Amino acid sequence: MTSSTGSTRSTAIPATGTRALSSPTTATSAAAPTGEPTRQHWMDLLRGTAILLVIAHHLRLVQQIWDGGTPWAMVELSEALAPFRMPALLFASGLLLARSLRRPPGRFLAGKLRGLLWPWLLWSAVMLPILGWGHADEPLWWLNGMYTWFLAALLCYYVIGLVTKRIHPGWVALASVVAWTALPLLGAAHDMVGPRPDKFVFYAVFFFAGAALRPVLARGPVPWIVTVPALAVAAAWALHAARIDVEPQVPVLTQFVVLLAVVGAVGVLQRLPRLHALRPVEWLGRNSIVPYLVHLPVIELLGRHIDLPAGPGTFALYYAVTIGVCVLAVLLRPVTGFLYAFPARKAAVAPAAAAGESVSQSVEPVVDRAVDAMPAAGAAPVGEAAPACTRR
């Protein structure tokens, strides 16, 4: 089974997503001093839902490999939602790009290296003893052979965002569409499942579209006249993906349809009331870097070492255990933060500078201050990888 982000070869899942994966701060819809709203609950819902779908997708792949099967309904659901999981995470990450870029370039880059480069290398290394030490000397495996590819892609997008800071992100999104479409014209056939990081070009449109649409979405919900047709198109695209058992890859059309589907989903989430039943999903979305990085090692260990017959019961049990471990990991984050971001050195701050920082903190939303430390700051957690069938 193939996918736009993976192939069937090592038990890795080149996959998913970070705030992109986000920070543990509390979401709010209060207006910032600039008049632009801070992160709202629908952003966390979008990211949290995508993370839950990514976990289910990877569990389905691992269970097929190690247990010989998985519930039919989960296979169909996974195939139908495959085109949208990673784009939703990247769109959520792009929403916060502008705020992140308000920082000085040095601070901006240092934050991205701590929050993206470090966990990318660390968690790729964590997977080596699980998947096989032979991958250690494969440069492309580190870049695009594991589910951590998402962090590498985010790092690239943030750097591009910094370099093109004076260019509207909509133009950068359009450039990714042009570049993706031009690859075959230049003699390079699309390779979304191999080690070549073609998907970095493909998915860039969603990250920069999120950055471009942030001001529009900040003004209010997506109009119903856009939301309803977008959801109808998304449903048709999902059925098509499930029918052909692979993510459709049609130049221009695929990127446009999937982006429209994500915007439609945002339109629905923006209108949802703050239901208590959805608070856990929001919470996962705010902390999405943790479940994104933790879930696959847990799933791989369960699939490889627990000998249970394949079926809905086993799938539900593994899913519950994986979510439980992810929740525990989030709760332990105050003492395990080095697993998700390289610790920053605490330099001495002069009294005057400290006073200025205090004033800044009083008016700058907490979610913005987390951008440097968390990949989710412009992120979800959340693309996808697949065991032995590396897949987005």
Side-chain angles (χ1 to χ4, degrees):
M1 203 169 285
T2 59
S3 151
S4 71
T5 30
S7 78
T8 314
R9 36 164 202 244
S10 78
T11 327
I13 302 170
T16 319
T18 336
R19 195 150 101 21
L21 297 183
S22 80
S23 79
T25 54
T26 303
T28 173
S29 58
T34 59
E36 184 179 348
T38 60
R39 191 166 103 222
Q40 297 172 318
H41 74 282
W42 63 264
M43 297 183 190
D44 295 325
L45 278 176
L46 179 64
R47 189 174 295 111
T49 301
I51 286 292
L52 291 175
L53 292 176
V54 165
I55 294 174
H57 166 69
H58 290 167
L59 176 55
R60 162 244 165 159
L61 291 173
V62 173
Q63 192 175 41
Q64 281 186 308
I65 291 169
W66 296 107
D67 296 333
T70 197
W72 175 85
M74 289 311 305
V75 174
E76 293 303 309
L77 182 64
S78 180
E79 293 297 341
L81 297 176
F84 313 113
R85 285 181 295 252
M86 288 321 298
L89 280 173
L90 287 161
F91 187 88
S93 301
L95 287 169
L96 297 175
L97 174 63
R99 288 191 179 279
S100 185
L101 286 173
R102 291 176 188 171
R103 291 159 177 74
R107 184 183 168 196
F108 172 87
L109 290 174
K112 299 316 167 192
L113 292 177
R114 292 197 309 270
L116 291 173
L117 179 64
W118 169 253
W120 165 36
L121 296 176
L122 177 63
W123 286 87
S124 294
V126 166
M127 294 301 293
L128 279 175
I130 299 175
L131 303 178
W133 293 99
H135 295 294
D137 59 357
E138 301 175 24
L140 286 178
W141 182 86
W142 289 87
L143 179 65
N144 190 38
M146 265 305 305
Y147 75 128
T148 47
W149 71 264
F150 181 71
L151 303 184
L154 276 179
L155 182 59
C156 290
Y157 300 156
Y158 278 119
V159 172
I160 292 173
L162 178 62
V163 173
T164 61
K165 186 176 182 179
R166 299 187 181 281
I167 300 176
H168 192 282
W171 291 112
V172 184
L174 181 61
S176 75
V177 176
V178 173
W180 173 254
T181 303
L183 281 176
L185 303 179
L186 298 175
H190 290 148
D191 180 15
M192 292 290 280
V193 299
R196 214 173 67 193
D198 290 35
K199 58 177 168 278
F200 286 28
V201 177
F202 178 84
Y203 288 119
V205 63
F206 306 109
F207 179 87
F208 290 102
L213 293 175
R214 169 64 186 265
V216 177
L217 297 176
R219 290 196 289 267
V222 178
W224 281 117
I225 196 172
V226 175
T227 299
V228 173
L231 293 178
V233 170
W237 200 254
L239 290 174
H240 177 56
R243 184 181 63 82
I244 65 176
D245 195 30
V246 67
E247 296 179 41
Q249 294 296 335
V250 183
V252 182
L253 181 62
T254 294
Q255 289 165 304
F256 173 77
V257 168
V258 173
L259 178 58
L260 185 63
V262 172
V263 171
V266 167
V268 172
L269 296 179
Q270 287 175 314
R271 292 176 168 84
L272 285 180
R274 300 295 302 282
L275 301 175
H276 286 292
L278 296 178
R279 296 300 175 87
V281 181
E282 289 184 36
W283 184 76
L284 278 179
R286 288 194 297 275
N287 296 279
S288 53
I289 181 65
V290 178
Y292 178 73
L293 290 173
V294 169
H295 80 278
L296 187 56
V298 174
I299 290 174
E300 283 282 359
L301 292 174
L302 288 174
R304 289 166 183 260
H305 301 295
I306 304 297
D307 188 17
L308 292 177
T314 299
F315 186 94
L317 175 63
Y318 285 178
Y319 193 76
V321 170
T322 302
I323 295 297
V325 173
C326 289
V327 168
L328 178 61
V330 174
L331 297 177
L332 292 175
R333 188 176 178 181
V335 294
T336 60
F338 65 93
L339 294 175
Y340 314 106
F342 191 83
R345 269 192 303 181
K346 295 180 180 179
V349 181
E357 180 67 12
S358 175
V359 173
S360 172
Q361 289 181 359
S362 69
V363 297
E364 183 181 22
V366 154
V367 65
D368 296 328
R369 297 198 307 273
V371 170
D372 284 339
M374 289 298 306
V382 127
E384 311 154 36
C389 67
T390 27
R391 156 171 189 160
R392 194 192 57 167

